[in-house]
Amino acid sequence: MRFTDKICLVTGGTSGIGQAACLRLGAEGGQVVALGRDKADGAETVRLITKAGGKAVFMACDLAKPKAIEATVKKVLAKFQRVDVLVCDAAMMTFEPLTKLTLDQWDLLMQVNLRSLAQLTQLCLPHMPKGSAIVAISSVHAHQTTANVVPYATSKGGLEAFVRGMSLELDFRHTRINAVAPGAVDTPMLWSNPNVKSGREKIDKATVGQPEELAAAIAFMASGEASFIHGTTLAVDGGRLAQL
């Protein structure tokens, strides 16, 4: 199994793509540390992993709070001494035109979607051994977006720039960093999107991906099988970007 005895830290690990990634990493032998805000959802993630014979713990962490991130990473290191795989999946969206959006809303989204990635990378890197990997979850919105989600699209574009830039600072034989960009995936975030509900963003239900399909891509990018992949974004979107 590709992640036997590896410490796998996953943000957004309580639902959707993040939870699916936790289950996949756990099924492949990883010691999963799932981060999220909801303790009940976190307990369910742990239950699913352990029921399947894997190992997992949940740690509550609000990525909007830098001190909480710092405290959580300290707990992870105190318990496991290292981080082999860091998957940054947690994200939020807003659905207002920019002229109606408060700067506080903008700042909160950037904290959760982008600054937390930088902080987690900064805190974990000194404790990531040879062969470790960072996988940041982007979105096709970094390349093809719709109205009223400008902050989200901006954060994902910034995330991909972060990945490219950090790849120049890292020795890929020690720690690799890459992004995975989902298209439309069957998650609560997709179906709660007002643009999708109104039809402004067209979704062909026949081509909506499943969280497990994204988890497979994330696990590949985090594994030794992707040892020569560094500083890039893998689009996992059912061909959506190919239609541009």
Side-chain angles (χ1 to χ4, degrees):
M1 293 192 289
R2 295 181 293 182
F3 300 99
T4 299
D5 297 327
K6 291 187 180 293
I7 309 305
C8 304
L9 178 60
V10 182
T11 73
T14 58
S15 68
I17 294 170
Q19 185 183 61
C22 286
L23 270 59
R24 181 64 180 256
L25 294 169
E28 294 202 38
Q31 166 62 65
V32 175
V33 183
L35 303 190
R37 291 184 299 171
D38 190 286
K39 291 182 180 180
D41 290 342
E44 177 63 7
T45 297
V46 171
R47 186 190 71 80
L48 291 170
I49 293 170
T50 55
K51 181 181 179 181
K55 298 175 290 185
V57 296
F58 169 72
M59 294 188 184
C61 183
D62 185 347
L63 296 185
K65 300 177 180 178
K67 288 184 178 179
I69 295 174
E70 184 176 3
T72 301
V73 172
K74 285 182 178 179
K75 285 173 61 178
V76 173
L77 294 174
K79 187 173 180 66
F80 299 109
Q81 291 77 56
R82 71 184 192 280
V83 174
D84 296 288
V85 173
L86 172 62
V87 177
C88 292
D89 169 73
M92 62 175 293
M93 295 184 78
T94 57
F95 304 101
E96 296 284 347
L98 187 66
T99 54
K100 295 183 178 180
L101 191 82
T102 69
L103 289 179
D104 284 345
Q105 289 175 292
W106 176 280
D107 289 343
L108 175 62
L109 183 144
M110 292 299 170
Q111 169 62 51
V112 172
N113 293 13
L114 191 55
R115 190 185 189 279
S116 67
L117 167 63
Q119 187 180 7
L120 284 163
T121 299
Q122 190 176 57
L123 292 171
C124 291
L125 267 178
H127 308 280
M128 299 187 77
K130 186 175 181 179
S132 57
I134 300 169
V135 182
I137 309 307
S138 182
S139 169
V140 293
H141 278 277
H143 309 273
Q144 177 197 46
T145 191
T146 56
N148 301 336
V149 293
V150 169
Y152 180 77
T154 301
S155 72
K156 295 305 184 180
L159 181 151
E160 293 190 14
F162 177 87
V163 166
R164 290 192 297 272
M166 278 304 303
S167 72
L168 302 178
E169 298 187 17
L170 299 175
D171 175 359
F172 76 95
R173 296 298 185 190
H174 190 278
T175 302
R176 295 178 301 104
I177 184 168
N178 290 290
V180 169
V185 181
D186 186 11
T187 65
M189 179 177 279
L190 174 67
W191 302 120
S192 64
N193 184 333
N195 289 344
V196 173
K197 288 182 176 180
S198 69
R200 187 178 293 117
E201 181 177 350
K202 302 297 183 183
I203 299 295
D204 180 356
K205 291 186 178 182
T207 60
V208 171
Q210 294 302 309
E212 294 76 16
E213 294 176 296
L214 271 298
I218 292 166
F220 168 69
M221 295 297 269
S223 75
E225 291 180 300
S227 60
F228 203 55
I229 303 175
H230 186 49
T232 193
T233 297
L234 173 64
V236 186
D237 65 350
R240 176 171 169 175
L241 290 181
Q243 300 172 22
L244 289 176

